[in-house]
Amino acid sequence: MNPINLNILSILLGGDDDLESIYEKIRLLRTQHNMTLKDLSIKTGLSISFLSQVERGNSSLAITSLQKIGEALQVPITYFFEEPANDSYFLPEKERKRFQIGGSHVVYVRLGGDFPDRALEPIHITLPPQQQQEVAFNHPGEEFYFILEGKVVTVVDGKEHEMSKGDTIHFPSTLDHTWYNHSDEPAQILCVLTPVIFKN
């Protein structure tokens, strides 16, 4: 979704320098592993054309796509960001950091703590008005979404679900899925997914 990418949790990503840093890291890691775009495509399940656009900075990048790329290149997703450790179960609102990834206007906020063997990744998502994920994604795990504010159309396995405040959806992430917000207001979403995305 963003349909499903995460940490500069110390700053809000959005500047071209930050985005280029991510793209450059992907390109350099791929080169260091002597991998072609085709090799990376096979390992991630992402198309060669999409990966090429990502490396050139011409495509937005979802959290789950960045995770797949990181796994294929043998680095945790946190490698692409500067993430302060959260060694407490409790995370006050004032300590939560917003971030964006790869040219996307979607804003993410991690809500969970870090501890061994955790299974869930809770995230708060702000989906801006008139935003649409251009590519459907699938990956191992499950996803749960609770609409806090606004309206979102979630597409799972080709079926559209029009969702508004209070609605929820829970599905296996192995199904192709995407979402969009064609309204004039931002949507606020609580997302809980598996497997864990942010791990060292």
Side-chain angles (χ1 to χ4, degrees):
M1 259 201 164
N2 162 251
I4 315 153
N5 334 204
L6 321 154
N7 225 297
I8 276 181
L9 291 186
S10 58
I11 65 174
L12 171 62
L13 282 182
D16 291 340
D17 291 342
D18 294 322
L19 300 180
E20 288 179 4
S21 174
I22 293 177
Y23 298 140
E24 183 65 20
K25 285 180 178 179
I26 292 173
R27 186 166 52 248
L28 288 175
L29 277 173
R30 180 176 63 79
T31 302
Q32 289 171 2
H33 283 79
N34 295 316
M35 294 174 61
T36 64
L37 284 172
K38 182 178 181 180
D39 295 332
L40 188 57
S41 174
I42 293 172
K43 286 180 173 292
T44 61
L46 302 171
S47 71
I48 295 174
S49 60
F50 174 73
L51 291 170
S52 177
Q53 290 179 40
V54 166
E55 288 195 358
R56 295 198 307 268
N58 293 332
S59 178
S60 61
L61 189 60
I63 281 180
T64 49
S65 295
L66 185 59
Q67 181 191 25
K68 286 182 177 181
I69 292 170
E71 289 175 349
L73 297 174
Q74 302 177 21
V75 295
I77 196 170
T78 50
Y79 170 84
F80 299 102
F81 307 92
E82 298 171 4
E83 178 183 83
N86 172 26
D87 56 1
S88 172
Y89 300 140
F90 175 58
L91 182 59
E93 182 176 5
K94 64 182 180 180
E95 294 182 12
R96 298 175 194 155
K97 306 298 182 181
R98 308 190 313 157
F99 63 97
Q100 295 170 262
I101 290 180
S104 171
H105 296 289
V106 180
V107 178
Y108 300 92
V109 180
R110 282 190 64 193
L111 301 177
D114 289 316
F115 54 89
D117 300 323
R118 64 190 180 92
L120 302 177
E121 193 75 77
I123 304 169
H124 178 273
I125 300 170
T126 301
L127 186 60
Q130 305 300 322
Q131 293 295 308
Q132 178 168 349
Q133 177 120 351
E134 298 177 358
V135 180
F137 295 90
N138 65 72
H139 51 90
E142 302 177 41
E143 295 183 33
F144 170 84
Y145 293 87
F146 177 78
I147 309 302
L148 303 172
E149 296 287 345
K151 296 182 178 181
V152 177
V153 175
T154 303
V155 185
V156 179
D157 199 24
K159 183 177 181 179
E160 292 191 354
H161 304 273
E162 295 186 5
M163 304 177 65
S164 55
K165 182 177 180 179
D167 290 340
T168 63
I169 189 168
H170 183 195
F171 58 91
S173 304
T174 50
L175 298 175
D176 284 349
H177 53 279
T178 187
W179 61 7
Y180 56 86
N181 175 8
H182 284 176
S183 74
D184 295 325
E185 300 293 333
Q188 305 292 333
I189 307 161
L190 171 63
C191 168
V192 181
L193 60 96
T194 66
V196 169
I197 293 177
F198 293 102
K199 53 188 176 182
N200 295 316

